Amino acid sequence: MGVTTKNLLVNFCPDLFQAEVEETLKRIQSHKGVIGTMVVNAEGIPIRTTLDNSTTVQYAGLLHQLTMKARSTVRDIDPQNDLTFLRIRSKKHEIMVAPDKEYLLIVIQNPCE
Amino acid sequence: MPPGSRHNSPGLAAFLRRVEAMVIRELNKNWQSHAFDGFEVNWTEPQQTVTCLHTLGYPPAQGQGLHVTSVSWNSTGSVVACAYGRLDDGDWSTLKAFVCAWNLDRRGLNPRQPSAVVEVPSAVMCLAFHPTQPSHIAGGLYSGEVLVWDMSRPEDPLLWRTGLTDDTHTDPVYQVVWLPEPRYSYRFRVLSVATDGKVLLWQAAGPGQLQLTEGFALVVQQLPRNTKLKKPHRGETEVGTTAVAFSSFDPSLFVLGTEGGFPLKCSLAAEEAALTRMPSSVSLRAPAQFTFSPHGGPVYSVSCSPFHRNLFLSAGTDGHIHLYSMLQAQPLTSLQLSHKYLFAVRWSPVRPLVFAAASGEGDVQLFDLQKSSQKPTVSIKQTQDESPVYCLEFNCQQTQLLAAGDAKGTVKVWQLSTEFTEQGPSETEDLEQLAAEVAT
């Protein structure tokens, strides 16, 4: 997509992207066992969430730090490698983090026992 | 949460487009996977057995044959207090009794010398430490009075008392509970329950005086008729109340245990006036909203689940524990734990499926509904000669500790094994399932 076309879309149909974001998050949140979904930006600040404020802030801060540490661990072992996905399994549920240059997608799922 | 601005929408949309498929795939795989079934990790050294950490007693009280009628942990979890009195038949109104407290964290703890002792002119039936003030404690007496002491002031511990007025209970006070005030949740009032059928709310007013602010009276004619009860003895109108427990989910909802053996669901917000002729400076209301199916004897203890809004336990002198749901009159489960009486039952503050009961045969029985729904998981013998255990309380700060008081005047502090303090993987779900077994 050319820069001009994208600019046009951003300026004239911003709702298109907004709706797509909401639809995607809704699809993920409605998956079996999902307790919460959130998107965090590169600074560790949450920009979308389905959980309450205090829980979200806690998850965002802690998982952002952990993801950065996980990424540097992978790259220190092999500089040609990079982190693609992070999963933390605990007694009560599983936390999944899909990392990226600008954002983190965090999904908390209570898997079927 | 700042609403998505136009500027990050395309970037955010693109990011989600990139990761969505992978995340959905992982969510699906996880949902179907059995890879972690039964996989458990031990982070702490497991405590295998239940051990008796402390055996506490006050010889002058034990010498008089006094029973421990009630125990309470303070707000920091480091002090355990016990009330001395008598729970058998007799006139204990002028019996010299005591309230004793031991600071378990203090070095040089002497189990036969409490850190604080208060002499009380009438048998003490119940105790409750203040929820936030570590040294304030309320007690209910055989005489019907309610007193509040400050255990950190040995020279003059009595802070407030109801005195003996028209408002005071005319029968022994079986339980006292601290409740936050409706508008100032850092201030507290004391609620007392007695066999005269009154449930009263007291507040500190004026020097040393506990004043009645609100009150309820239970009268046979006003009991909800959803359950058929035995006809009361002629002339009997009051419903003797012997136990109370507040819901952890709805602060105005409480359950009362009665001499008639039927628990009652009640509300602080009830407005109907009570049909009673008992004198009172505030108008008494009828609080009962639902009558539960009775035990075969008086209920001396009730406990609301800290993990499920509809579940509560009751212990009766018929030796049975009933597990009730607020949604139906018949209990979900009835367990016979004793051939004598049961005096106390308490849910664990950390394990949704665990509760403890004190029996008339001298045992503290620990039930884990996840392991067995019929037999206790552990039965701890507290007294050597089968004298009853009258009371028990879990320590909410140090969750491996359980205090129990008995008829020999001894308080034992039990340390529970790790299995009683760590939640299992699907415990909350199992509790939900149990609560859902309500008959349709």
Side-chain angles (χ1 to χ4, degrees):
Chain A
M1 189 184 291
V3 172
T4 324
T5 326
K6 196 151 123 191
N7 274 340
L8 270 171
L9 273 170
V10 166
N11 289 319
F12 292 104
C13 319
D15 298 334
L16 207 73
F17 292 102
Q18 179 88 319
E20 190 189 339
V21 167
E22 303 310 324
E23 287 297 307
T24 310
L25 289 174
K26 207 156 73 166
R27 269 199 298 278
I28 295 174
Q29 176 65 22
S30 62
H31 239 69
K32 286 195 276 257
V34 173
I35 308 170
T37 309
M38 67 187 83
V39 180
V40 174
N41 72 6
E43 277 91 53
I45 298 174
I47 55 173
R48 290 287 196 293
T49 182
T50 61
L51 298 171
D52 63 273
N53 268 354
S54 51
T55 312
T56 302
V57 165
Q58 218 179 5
Y59 270 100
L62 293 168
L63 287 170
H64 179 256
Q65 281 181 49
L66 188 63
T67 310
M68 295 303 111
K69 186 71 188 174
R71 184 170 183 236
S72 66
T73 304
V74 169
R75 286 164 68 82
D76 281 357
I77 292 172
D78 177 0
Q80 303 300 315
N81 204 357
D82 210 336
L83 181 71
T84 53
F85 203 74
L86 181 62
R87 297 168 74 153
I88 304 165
R89 191 160 184 115
S90 69
K91 262 196 332 212
K92 297 186 184 177
H93 45 242
E94 180 147 336
I95 306 168
M96 284 177 243
V97 183
D100 186 86
K101 183 168 127 203
E102 284 167 53
Y103 303 101
L104 290 181
L105 172 66
I106 301 169
V107 183
I108 305 150
Q109 184 188 34
N110 187 1
C112 168
E113 285 288 346
Chain B
M1 213 74 349
S5 70
R6 283 183 211 162
H7 295 289
N8 58 41
S9 268
L12 182 56
F15 161 67
L16 288 174
R17 235 178 283 132
R18 280 197 295 279
V19 298
E20 185 190 359
M22 167 172 58
V23 171
I24 300 269
R25 206 168 46 231
E26 293 302 321
L27 286 172
N28 282 334
K29 276 202 305 198
N30 217 15
W31 187 255
Q32 294 159 355
S33 164
H34 291 280
F36 286 96
D37 282 4
F39 178 69
E40 270 170 43
V41 172
N42 290 321
W43 282 99
T44 53
E45 187 62 55
Q47 232 335 294
Q48 284 306 326
T49 50
V50 174
T51 47
C52 181
L53 267 183
H54 304 284
T55 302
L56 310 166
Y58 187 50
Q62 292 167 312
Q64 283 179 54
L66 292 178
H67 303 160
V68 174
T69 58
S70 180
V71 285
S72 179
W73 292 96
N74 78 338
S75 57
T76 65
S78 49
V79 177
V80 63
C82 76
Y84 278 105
R86 291 290 287 260
L87 279 178
D88 46 354
D89 289 326
D91 181 10
W92 311 118
S93 50
T94 52
L95 179 72
K96 201 166 70 138
F98 306 93
V99 170
C100 300
W102 286 263
N103 187 332
L104 301 180
D105 288 349
R106 207 178 273 174
R107 268 207 257 147
L109 166 77
N110 182 343
R112 311 192 71 61
Q113 207 175 323
S115 329
V117 178
V118 175
E119 267 187 37
V120 187
S122 165
V124 187
M125 308 288 293
C126 53
L127 274 189
F129 260 113
H130 192 281
T132 54
Q133 284 276 25
S135 60
H136 289 193
I137 188 166
L141 304 193
Y142 186 90
S143 63
E145 269 206 84
V146 173
L147 276 61
V148 179
W149 297 278
D150 181 345
M151 302 300 274
S152 67
R153 297 184 349 185
E155 345 73 40
D156 182 22
L158 184 61
L159 282 173
W160 299 290
R161 65 191 306 170
T162 54
L164 289 166
T165 67
D166 274 348
D167 286 337
T168 320
H169 288 288
T170 49
D171 274 356
V173 176
Y174 271 80
Q175 199 163 345
V176 283
V177 167
W178 290 91
L179 289 183
E181 279 182 37
R183 255 168 283 134
Y184 307 99
S185 58
Y186 54 88
R187 294 220 295 249
F188 291 86
R189 330 171 260 183
V190 179
L191 179 132
S192 60
V193 157
T195 43
D196 60 359
K198 288 199 281 190
V199 174
L200 303 175
L201 272 161
W202 307 91
Q203 208 158 308
Q209 180 64 35
L210 273 180
Q211 198 171 61
L212 184 62
T213 53
E214 277 179 66
F216 302 90
L218 285 111
V219 162
V220 170
Q221 298 92 305
Q222 287 179 300
L223 290 178
R225 301 278 169 90
N226 61 285
T227 298
K228 195 149 185 285
L229 296 172
K230 278 204 294 262
K231 278 206 119 49
H233 296 302
R234 41 158 182 64
E236 211 175 74
T237 48
E238 285 104 36
V239 175
T241 46
T242 46
V244 64
F246 273 78
S247 163
S248 325
F249 294 85
D250 179 351
S252 66
L253 199 153
F254 61 101
V255 175
L256 284 173
T258 62
E259 278 183 317
F262 46 89
L264 291 168
K265 180 171 114 159
C266 303
S267 171
L268 288 177
E271 288 176 352
E272 188 188 347
L275 300 170
T276 176
R277 266 181 248 164
M278 287 189 276
S280 174
S281 63
V282 306
S283 57
L284 300 173
R285 293 171 276 152
Q289 297 178 326
F290 192 79
T291 308
F292 294 94
S293 179
H295 282 252
V299 167
Y300 283 118
S301 186
V302 286
S303 179
C304 290
S305 169
F307 292 94
H308 198 289
R309 63 185 322 117
N310 287 342
L311 294 177
F312 70 91
L313 289 165
S314 62
T317 55
D318 58 353
H320 282 72
I321 291 277
H322 284 188
L323 171 66
Y324 289 95
S325 160
M326 295 283 184
L327 305 175
Q328 72 177 37
Q330 289 294 328
L332 294 174
T333 312
S334 172
L335 295 160
Q336 174 157 31
L337 296 193
S338 170
H339 295 288
K340 293 190 183 170
Y341 301 173
L342 283 177
F343 290 98
V345 67
R346 288 285 181 267
W347 284 104
S348 159
V350 287
R351 289 261 345 252
L353 291 165
V354 167
F355 63 87
S359 85
E361 285 132 339
D363 307 314
V364 172
Q365 300 199 3
L366 282 160
F367 248 84
D368 184 342
L369 292 170
Q370 200 164 47
K371 291 232 168 82
S372 163
S373 55
Q374 305 296 329
K375 307 189 326 286
T377 317
V378 176
S379 187
I380 311 166
K381 206 171 157 65
Q382 169 138 341
T383 56
Q384 298 315 312
D385 60 356
E386 296 202 355
S387 317
V389 178
Y390 284 130
C391 50
L392 47 75
E393 291 292 347
F394 283 95
N395 184 329
C396 294
Q397 268 65 33
Q398 297 182 56
T399 55
Q400 76 284 15
L401 299 182
L402 171 67
D406 57 45
K408 311 292 278 180
T410 309
V411 173
K412 291 202 178 177
V413 178
W414 299 97
Q415 179 166 286
L416 304 178
S417 40
T418 338
E419 57 178 345
F420 288 107
T421 53
E422 286 185 3
Q423 273 191 39
S426 58
E427 207 164 331
T428 338
E429 286 79 18
D430 289 346
L431 188 74
E432 275 292 339
Q433 219 169 7
L434 190 59
E437 283 168 22
V438 171
T440 43

